[in-house]
Amino acid sequence: MPEPTKKDETETESAPPPPEQKTPQEDGTGKGKVWSLGEGAPEETEKRDDSQRSTLFVEKPQSGSVSVGGNITFIAKVEAKDLLRKPNVKWFKGKWMDLASKAGKHLQLKESFERHTKIHTFEMHIIQAKENYAGNYRCEVSYKDKFDSCSFDLEVTESSQATPSIDIRSAFKRSGDGQDDAGELDFSGLLKRREVKQQEEEPEVDVWELLKNANPSEYEKIAFQYGITDLRGMLKRLKRMRREVKKSAAFAKGLDPAYQVDKGGKVRFMVELADPTVELKWYKNGQEIRPSAKYIFEHKGNQRILFINNCTMTDDARYYVTAGDEKCSTELFVRDPPILVTKGLEDTSTYVGERVELSCEVSEDDANVKWFRNGVELPNDPKSRYRIKVEGKKHTLIIEEAAKNDSATYSVMTTGGQSEAKLSVDLRPLKISLALEDQTVRLGQEIHLKCEISENVEGKWYKNGQVVEASDRVKLYHKGRIHRFVIASAAVDDEGEYMFVPDAYNINIPCKVRVVDPPKLHLDGLGENNTVTVVAGSKLRLEIPITGEPTPKVMWGKGDKWITDSGRIRAETYPDSSCLVIDTAEREDSGPFRITLKNEAGEDSALINIKVVDVPDPPQSPNVTEVGEDWCVMTWEPPANDGGSPILGYFIERKKKQSSRWMRLNFELCKETTFEPKKMIEGVAYEVRVFAVNAIGISKPSMPSKSFVPLAVTSPPTLLAVDSVTDTSVTMKWRPPDHIGAAGLDGYVVEYCFEGTDEWIVANPELTDKTKFTINGLPTGSKILVRVKAVNAAGESEPRYHPQPILVKEVIEPPKIRLPRHLKQTYTRRVGETVNLVIPFQGRPRAKVSWQKNGSPIDKNQINIRNTENDTIIFIRKAERGHSGEYDMKVEVENLEDKATIDIQIVDRPGPPEVVTIEDVWGENVNLSWKPPKDDGNAAITGYTIQKADKKSMEWFTVIEHYHRTSATINELVIGNEYYFRVFAENMCGLSEDATMTKESALIAKDGKVYKYPVYDDFDFSERPLFTQPLVNTFAVAGYNATLNCSVRGNPKPKITWLKNKVAIMNDPRYRMFSNQGVCTLEIRKPSPYDGGTYTCRAVNGLGEAEVDCKLEVKVTQ
């Protein structure tokens, strides 16, 4: 943008800037800003934009200089490491002109990509540079939200050879592709809409003053009118010139801020030095100026003058002069002379479709001319319907086929004038050569409408009054006077009234199109064999798309019955579909449903299979086929109906017979129809049931099985041994099994087999409950193997074998009496007790046993004797003292015998002593004596018990017990009282039933002293509770009773409370509490793991309380 310049380029002195104006600071932030573009200074917006840019350039184009006719290349490089595709790059001249459209003979844009370094290189080549190419350029690169820009300057200098004068205005002509002058730099894009009046004589104008006082919005208008080519560069230079002028010590008078000169003119720069001896140098755009024919230097006293002759556009630059360390600068603006319109436009009338040419002539060849339509600039774009033709000074606007809307006022504008004319485009009369015809087409066939009119004009197609636009389906063709409407595949919606209306004519060409279509069912969304599956109890809404034109009639049926539009099963019909609705599906609804469509074009029908699926029926009641100690084996039959969906598996539950709580046994489906429940409690009755599962859900449970009890066979019998052997029999004996179990023990089975065979023979067809059995009927001399099995409800146990074969042959065994140890001493019993003595013996065969008492045979009426093969028993039901004596036993086997003697003593309580006499009385003492009893009870007297009684009360009190002598002294009797005494005899059976009392009493006479009884305080037996035996941590087995014990003392008797986990146990039938003589017991009946925890016993009385704790852990047997 130009800055203020001097009016007269020949003046030697310039006026200083107005004092009231303040120039902005060099950084552009001063408050005295004058030049702005829009809201701010020309560079402010650019600076704000730069602050938001992302740095994309790795190498920016640099400013350069080239001679007229020379070539120059500008290079920009962008790194592609973080970019997914090639960035967009644009080259501009000035602020607006995009150089991409100017590529040609003088301008070439190239780009390349180096894969190793991942660098994009962009080049701009200027070929055969001209003076008007000089100015400011800009390169912009963008990628998505990233942006970067770089400005650079091009300086075009004159060549050393003489060149003819160049018409700058001719450089502004528009260039077309493919022409010889293509690629010329063009500034027409900078021009805006404006109105310029033709001026015959333009007065001299100072553009500097004009720009200084103009509004920024008018900069472009002034730039075009006065031939300013580099508006953006001029604005920068004006901004630099606005700096505040400082007082200089070297320059008495400096350069003016700006100078203006017409192209081809002469300009004069003058400064006045304060010291004429100071060396002075002139510079142009930073390059020192040397004297030549163009640049002439003059010295007049302190004045230093520079003349520039024959100014061209390359002289439009910044100049400065240096004197020592100080510098003074200015700007020189070179402007083109205005271009005049020498022959104006003429008003024209024509018809639509005709070719129109509007021509004018200007004062110079190839001048920059702008065309306007109703004041709006017309673009010079190859795609535009307006074409501009330039032939020297003649400029022509061409419209190949005029349209009605081309009627307007057209104007042409140059830098020195303008001209305008009116264009009127009218319509020709329209005739219909071929009208549209009514059509009836089938669905899917082509609709082809064709009409012909007398004029080649555009038009619009309408369907039912609505405009139809071209699309992938609808094709609209216009060739000359023929218009065609084509739809390749007709649809139902294409039916209607169509018409064609030519543009700009009040006429229409109508026709009717009818689309017919036989009915059709669309069953693509159904499953295999048109099967639809629905869950029983849910609602089915089956929608079947239908087509047909006109809309077909729909009928649903099942079997020989038609389905109406009401009820649980009903049909609903819509324009493009039909629905079969079943509100609550039932298994009986399964089966084929027929749907039938009918219309005037035909009919269609199909069978749709409805499959109602449900949860399966419950399986049959399971059978328990085998039972073990804590397990069983169960089987069942699959359900009769699987609900329409295959059975996926089964769930099994069990419960105790007396319980109502079922427990799930498997969490993964059982695929088989057999299952083995485990971890049951032996001896407890159980029931089991089964659930069937399919894809829909779980069936109801089966009926429970018959109750069963898990039972285990016992362990084998123990200690199997031979008891006796005869020539035809073997007697075996054994001990019961170590483990019997909850099923108990029903009996034993004894089996034998002969050595060398494997055939076991049952010796007892019926179970024996004894642990001894004789096998009879055996051949003498044979050898047999014997085994015994224990039997209970669970079956037979493992057999216990005798380790060796047994020879069936009787063996003589000498008699031997095995007298028990306690019978080797005197056997003592009290009168009335039972005597039952078993004396085992040995002796084979047929041992003979005999008894005698005191050398005489035993009276069998008083003493019972029972003999067996192995022992003999002497039995006295109620012993009497007469049964005492020595009993002799003898065992005889053939000529051999053995004897033993048993001493039996039957004892009773003794009789009372014979006589008790008072031998002497003295002081507080009495001496007694007595004689032993006549009847000692058949046992030695072990002592005596002496009692006394006050004559007044006759209450007896024991004085001495277990006294062995027959005389005794009784002490500490009460003086003044009179006493009787009696004595009991005692032996091993106890005291005698009666006692012998003294006939006289003994008086304890007073001897003159008054006896003072001592005073005793009552003993305080009260005591707060104290646990003398604490609780002990205990382990219990689940299912077996457990007890917790402790002991406590206290007075008064404390109240006992039991707690579990600090919670009192109250009225719980699983717990029983006992307290006896200070021993406290808590019984837990059949505990489970839930009963584990901390138990507390709390004792409380009026004096305090005490607690003891223990932990109980309940273990579950595996």
Side-chain angles (χ1 to χ4, degrees):
M1 185 181 299
E3 296 184 3
T5 62
K6 288 184 63 66
K7 293 183 179 179
D8 188 0
E9 63 181 9
T10 61
E11 289 183 15
T12 58
E13 295 181 359
S14 60
E20 65 274 10
Q21 293 182 351
K22 296 182 179 179
T23 58
Q25 302 294 328
E26 289 190 6
D27 59 358
T29 60
K31 296 183 179 179
K33 296 177 185 176
V34 175
W35 307 113
S36 63
L37 182 60
E39 295 295 331
E43 288 186 339
E44 270 188 44
T45 305
E46 183 179 334
K47 288 184 178 180
R48 288 195 298 269
D49 293 342
D50 290 344
S51 65
Q52 300 174 357
R53 296 172 185 159
S54 302
T55 302
L56 294 174
F57 285 117
V58 295
E59 181 178 331
K60 298 181 180 181
Q62 304 296 323
S63 299
S65 176
V66 65
S67 301
V68 174
N71 301 335
I72 189 170
T73 301
F74 296 95
I75 299 176
K77 293 185 179 181
V78 178
E79 185 175 10
K81 180 174 63 175
D82 299 328
L83 308 182
L84 300 179
R85 56 180 175 81
K86 186 185 74 174
N88 295 323
V89 174
K90 292 183 179 181
W91 298 86
F92 295 91
K93 185 173 191 303
K95 185 175 182 181
W96 300 277
M97 189 172 69
D98 188 351
L99 298 180
S101 61
K102 306 303 177 184
K105 181 175 66 173
H106 297 286
L107 177 66
Q108 293 181 3
L109 302 179
K110 296 183 180 180
E111 61 182 51
S112 61
F113 178 67
E114 178 62 40
R115 295 185 178 275
H116 299 291
T117 59
K118 294 185 178 181
I119 296 294
H120 288 281
T121 302
F122 302 91
E123 300 179 0
M124 181 179 73
H125 300 278
I126 296 178
I127 304 170
Q128 297 179 3
K130 298 181 180 180
E131 291 184 355
N132 63 321
Y133 292 0
N136 180 259
Y137 290 79
R138 186 173 77 256
C139 178
E140 292 183 356
V141 58
S142 61
Y143 175 80
K144 292 185 177 180
D145 57 346
K146 299 180 178 180
F147 176 77
D148 203 352
S149 176
C150 175
S151 297
F152 56 94
D153 295 321
L154 171 62
E155 181 180 3
V156 182
T157 60
E158 290 183 346
S159 60
S160 58
Q161 299 177 358
T163 58
S165 177
I166 299 176
D167 187 357
I168 299 300
R169 289 188 294 271
S170 65
F172 296 157
K173 66 181 179 180
R174 296 181 181 269
S175 59
D177 296 338
Q179 300 178 5
D180 293 339
D181 57 354
E184 295 286 343
L185 302 184
D186 185 2
F187 294 93
S188 59
L190 304 177
L191 305 180
K192 302 292 182 179
R193 174 184 175 184
R194 67 250 184 231
E195 296 181 1
V196 181
K197 295 183 179 180
Q198 180 74 32
Q199 296 180 2
E200 296 182 358
E201 292 184 1
E202 182 179 347
E204 187 71 22
V205 177
D206 187 347
V207 181
W208 166 265
E209 294 293 337
L210 187 61
L211 288 175
K212 181 175 69 174
N213 300 319
N215 191 294
S217 62
E218 299 178 356
Y219 287 168
E220 294 179 2
K221 177 180 177 182
I222 298 173
F224 177 77
Q225 184 173 356
Y226 294 99
I228 300 173
T229 58
D230 190 1
L231 179 59
R232 182 174 180 182
M234 188 172 191
L235 290 175
K236 291 183 178 179
R237 292 157 63 189
L238 286 174
K239 183 178 178 182
R240 290 196 298 266
M241 289 167 40
R242 296 295 296 174
R243 298 170 185 167
E244 182 177 356
V245 179
K246 299 181 180 180
K247 188 174 181 180
S248 173
F251 295 97
K253 184 177 181 180
L255 295 172
D256 290 338
Y259 295 83
Q260 178 178 301
V261 65
D262 289 334
K263 182 178 179 182
K266 178 180 179 182
V267 68
R268 173 177 176 268
F269 297 147
M270 187 274 291
V271 296
E272 186 175 343
L273 298 177
D275 183 2
T277 62
V278 176
E279 182 181 1
L280 186 138
K281 292 183 180 181
W282 294 89
Y283 294 88
K284 172 187 175 183
N285 286 339
Q287 294 183 357
E288 185 178 357
I289 301 174
R290 301 293 182 181
S292 63
K294 185 177 182 66
Y295 300 102
I296 300 173
F297 297 93
E298 284 189 9
H299 293 186
K300 291 184 180 180
N302 290 345
Q303 292 181 350
R304 300 294 184 266
I305 302 172
L306 168 65
F307 292 96
I308 303 176
N309 298 318
N310 192 19
C311 290
T312 64
M313 296 305 297
T314 58
D315 295 325
D316 190 295
R318 181 170 180 259
Y319 295 82
Y320 65 88
V321 59
T322 60
D325 295 333
E326 295 192 16
K327 180 172 66 174
C328 179
S329 62
T330 187
E331 293 284 344
L332 174 62
F333 297 97
V334 180
R335 69 175 186 177
D336 286 332
I339 298 174
L340 304 178
V341 179
T342 58
K343 183 179 179 181
L345 301 175
E346 296 180 356
D347 294 341
T348 304
S349 297
T350 186
Y351 287 111
V352 174
E354 296 292 335
R355 175 186 173 95
V356 178
E357 292 186 1
L358 300 176
S359 300
C360 70
E361 293 183 5
V362 296
S363 58
E364 293 187 13
D365 292 339
D366 299 331
N368 186 15
V369 175
K370 289 192 174 184
W371 289 87
F372 296 86
R373 179 179 181 274
N374 291 335
V376 179
E377 183 180 356
L378 297 177
N380 187 13
D381 191 344
K383 296 182 180 180
S384 174
R385 62 191 308 270
Y386 300 101
R387 188 163 60 88
I388 299 173
K389 181 179 179 182
V390 180
E391 296 176 343
K393 298 180 180 180
K394 184 178 179 181
H395 294 255
T396 305
L397 175 65
I398 301 174
I399 305 175
E400 292 294 341
E401 294 183 358
K404 182 68 175 177
N405 57 3
D406 288 331
S407 297
T409 299
Y410 292 83
S411 60
V412 62
M413 181 180 294
T414 66
T415 58
Q418 69 175 14
S419 175
E420 65 179 27
K422 291 184 179 179
L423 174 62
S424 176
V425 182
D426 296 325
L427 295 172
R428 296 179 187 272
L430 184 68
K431 295 181 181 180
I432 300 175
S433 304
L434 178 64
L436 298 175
E437 296 179 355
D438 294 342
Q439 293 186 12
T440 299
V441 298
R442 291 178 65 89
L443 186 70
Q445 293 183 347
E446 182 184 67
I447 299 176
H448 191 171
L449 304 179
K450 179 180 179 182
C451 66
E452 184 178 354
I453 56 179
S454 61
E455 297 297 329
N456 182 13
V457 295
E458 298 288 340
K460 291 184 174 59
W461 289 90
Y462 292 84
K463 174 191 172 186
N464 297 330
Q466 302 293 326
V467 176
V468 178
E469 301 290 346
S471 64
D472 294 339
R473 192 171 168 274
V474 178
K475 306 296 183 182
L476 303 180
Y477 299 97
H478 172 209
K479 185 175 181 181
R481 297 177 298 172
I482 298 176
H483 295 265
R484 291 188 299 129
F485 179 97
V486 179
I487 297 178
S489 179
V492 175
D493 295 339
D494 294 330
E495 182 174 300
E497 295 182 358
Y498 290 80
M499 65 179 177
F500 176 74
V501 179
D503 289 346
Y505 288 92
N506 188 16
I507 189 172
N508 62 75
I509 307 173
C511 73
K512 292 184 179 180
V513 175
R514 186 181 181 195
V515 180
V516 296
D517 181 29
K520 185 176 181 181
L521 291 165
H522 299 275
L523 305 176
D524 298 338
L526 300 182
E528 186 178 358
N529 299 326
N530 294 340
T531 300
V532 177
T533 303
V534 61
V535 178
S538 62
K539 182 176 181 179
L540 171 65
R541 184 178 181 87
L542 176 61
E543 183 174 358
I544 305 298
I546 61 175
T547 56
E549 184 62 31
T551 303
K553 181 181 179 181
V554 184
M555 294 178 292
W556 286 87
K558 182 181 181 184
D560 56 353
K561 294 184 180 180
W562 295 104
I563 297 174
T564 63
D565 58 356
S566 62
R568 185 178 66 86
I569 303 177
R570 61 186 182 275
E572 298 178 358
T573 302
Y574 302 95
D576 58 350
S577 65
S578 179
C579 288
L580 175 65
V581 180
I582 303 178
D583 282 337
T584 304
E586 300 175 356
R587 289 188 180 181
E588 293 75 14
D589 298 333
S590 298
F593 285 73
R594 177 175 293 278
I595 179 173
T596 304
L597 306 180
K598 289 184 179 180
N599 70 358
E600 61 186 32
E603 71 175 77
D604 191 14
S605 64
L607 285 177
I608 299 175
N609 296 315
I610 303 298
K611 182 179 180 182
V612 181
V613 296
D614 197 359
V615 297
D617 291 343
Q620 298 181 6
S621 175
N623 296 321
V624 178
T625 58
E626 188 177 352
V627 176
E629 179 180 3
D630 62 347
W631 56 270
C632 71
V633 177
M634 56 183 289
T635 60
W636 62 89
E637 294 295 330
N641 190 336
D642 62 2
S645 179
I647 299 297
L648 300 178
Y650 302 90
F651 285 123
I652 297 91
E653 291 185 348
R654 79 172 183 217
K655 75 174 184 68
K656 296 178 182 178
K657 183 178 181 180
Q658 304 301 328
S659 172
S660 60
R661 178 175 173 268
W662 290 91
M663 182 176 69
R664 177 71 56 84
L665 298 182
N666 62 316
F667 294 97
E668 294 184 0
L669 288 177
C670 176
K671 306 295 184 180
E672 308 296 334
T673 56
T674 181
F675 189 75
E676 183 178 341
K678 296 181 179 180
K679 295 184 179 180
M680 293 184 284
I681 301 175
E682 184 181 3
V684 178
Y686 287 91
E687 294 177 349
V688 292
R689 66 182 183 183
V690 183
F691 295 82
V693 181
N694 64 5
I696 308 304
I698 303 176
S699 71
K700 293 182 179 179
S702 68
M703 293 298 295
S705 68
K706 294 181 180 179
S707 61
F708 62 93
V709 180
L711 296 173
V713 297
T714 67
S715 61
T718 59
L719 303 178
L720 178 61
V722 178
D723 185 64
S724 64
V725 180
T726 68
D727 291 340
T728 59
S729 66
V730 174
T731 301
M732 306 297 296
K733 62 180 179 179
W734 60 88
R735 298 293 296 166
D738 292 334
H739 176 71
I740 294 177
L745 180 63
D746 295 339
Y748 301 94
V749 174
V750 181
E751 297 177 341
Y752 69 93
C753 74
F754 292 100
E755 187 179 24
T757 67
D758 295 331
E759 181 182 0
W760 289 92
I761 302 171
V762 179
N764 56 328
E766 295 182 359
L767 297 178
T768 178
D769 57 353
K770 296 181 174 55
T771 58
K772 187 176 182 181
F773 187 79
T774 300
I775 304 173
N776 298 310
L778 298 175
T780 303
S782 63
K783 290 185 178 181
I784 63 172
L785 299 174
V786 180
R787 68 183 184 185
V788 180
K789 300 178 183 177
V791 181
N792 64 2
E796 296 180 349
S797 70
E798 293 292 326
R800 175 67 69 182
Y801 291 88
H802 190 272
Q804 297 176 354
I806 303 171
L807 178 63
V808 184
K809 184 177 181 181
E810 189 171 29
V811 179
I812 296 176
E813 182 181 358
K816 182 173 180 60
I817 299 173
R818 298 187 177 278
L819 192 66
R821 180 173 297 181
H822 68 282
L823 294 181
K824 292 180 180 181
Q825 301 175 356
T826 301
Y827 182 75
T828 303
R829 281 290 182 267
R830 295 183 181 182
V831 173
E833 292 182 347
T834 299
V835 177
N836 186 11
L837 301 178
V838 179
I839 297 95
F841 60 85
Q842 295 177 352
R844 298 288 186 274
R846 297 174 293 280
K848 181 179 179 181
V849 181
S850 60
W851 285 90
Q852 289 184 348
K853 176 187 176 185
N854 296 326
S856 301
I858 295 177
D859 186 0
K860 295 185 178 180
N861 294 327
Q862 296 183 0
I863 301 174
N864 294 325
I865 301 296
R866 184 175 65 84
N867 298 322
T868 66
E869 294 180 357
N870 298 316
D871 56 29
T872 181
I873 300 174
I874 180 170
F875 178 77
I876 303 173
R877 184 174 302 277
K878 190 174 182 180
E880 297 179 357
R881 292 172 64 178
H883 292 147
S884 301
E886 291 184 356
Y887 290 80
D888 298 324
M889 174 185 174
K890 182 171 66 174
V891 178
E892 297 177 334
V893 176
E894 295 183 356
N895 296 326
L896 303 175
E897 66 176 25
D898 190 16
K899 295 181 178 180
T901 299
I902 301 174
D903 186 6
I904 298 178
Q905 181 181 6
I906 307 302
V907 297
D908 196 2
R909 291 192 295 178
E914 289 189 5
V915 177
V916 179
T917 59
I918 298 174
E919 297 294 340
D920 191 9
V921 177
W922 74 97
E924 299 173 359
N925 307 312
V926 174
N927 181 260
L928 300 177
S929 65
W930 60 89
K931 293 182 179 180
K934 292 183 179 181
D935 183 10
D936 59 3
N938 203 23
I941 299 298
T942 58
Y944 299 92
T945 298
I946 303 167
Q947 294 180 345
K948 67 178 179 178
D950 189 352
K951 184 178 180 181
K952 296 179 181 179
S953 63
M954 290 304 292
E955 292 184 9
W956 293 98
F957 296 93
T958 299
V959 178
I960 300 175
E961 290 182 320
H962 312 302
Y963 191 73
H964 296 286
R965 298 180 182 181
T966 57
S967 63
T969 298
I970 311 303
N971 302 320
E972 298 181 356
L973 298 175
V974 178
I975 296 176
N977 289 354
E978 190 172 356
Y979 293 93
Y980 286 96
F981 299 91
R982 66 181 182 181
V983 180
F984 291 89
E986 182 181 7
N987 66 3
M988 60 182 297
C989 294
L991 298 176
S992 60
E993 294 182 0
D994 299 325
T996 302
M997 188 177 67
T998 58
K999 294 180 179 180
E1000 298 88 6
S1001 60
L1003 177 62
I1004 307 304
K1006 299 180 180 179
D1007 55 0
K1009 293 181 180 180
V1010 178
Y1011 182 75
K1012 183 179 181 180
Y1013 293 97
V1015 178
Y1016 298 98
D1017 295 333
D1018 293 336
F1019 185 76
D1020 185 7
F1021 291 96
S1022 61
E1023 183 183 8
R1024 63 176 295 167
L1026 176 65
F1027 283 94
T1028 59
Q1029 179 63 37
L1031 293 172
V1032 180
N1033 293 339
T1034 306
F1035 292 91
V1037 179
Y1040 295 89
N1041 292 356
T1043 58
L1044 304 177
N1045 299 288
C1046 63
S1047 61
V1048 64
R1049 72 184 186 195
N1051 192 15
K1053 183 178 179 180
K1055 179 181 178 181
I1056 304 301
T1057 305
W1058 288 89
L1059 302 93
K1060 176 189 175 185
N1061 295 330
K1062 303 303 181 182
V1063 178
I1065 301 174
M1066 303 293 291
N1067 301 324
D1068 192 333
R1070 294 184 300 112
Y1071 299 94
R1072 290 200 302 172
M1073 307 170 196
F1074 307 95
S1075 180
N1076 184 20
Q1077 298 295 324
V1079 178
C1080 304
T1081 303
L1082 175 66
E1083 182 181 27
I1084 306 171
R1085 306 180 64 183
K1086 296 182 178 180
S1088 66
Y1090 169 78
D1091 293 316
T1094 301
Y1095 286 82
T1096 303
C1097 181
R1098 179 184 295 167
V1100 181
N1101 67 6
L1103 299 178
E1105 67 177 46
E1107 290 183 355
V1108 287
D1109 297 334
C1110 75
K1111 291 184 179 179
L1112 175 65
E1113 182 178 346
V1114 180
K1115 294 185 176 180
V1116 179
T1117 57
Q1118 300 299 325

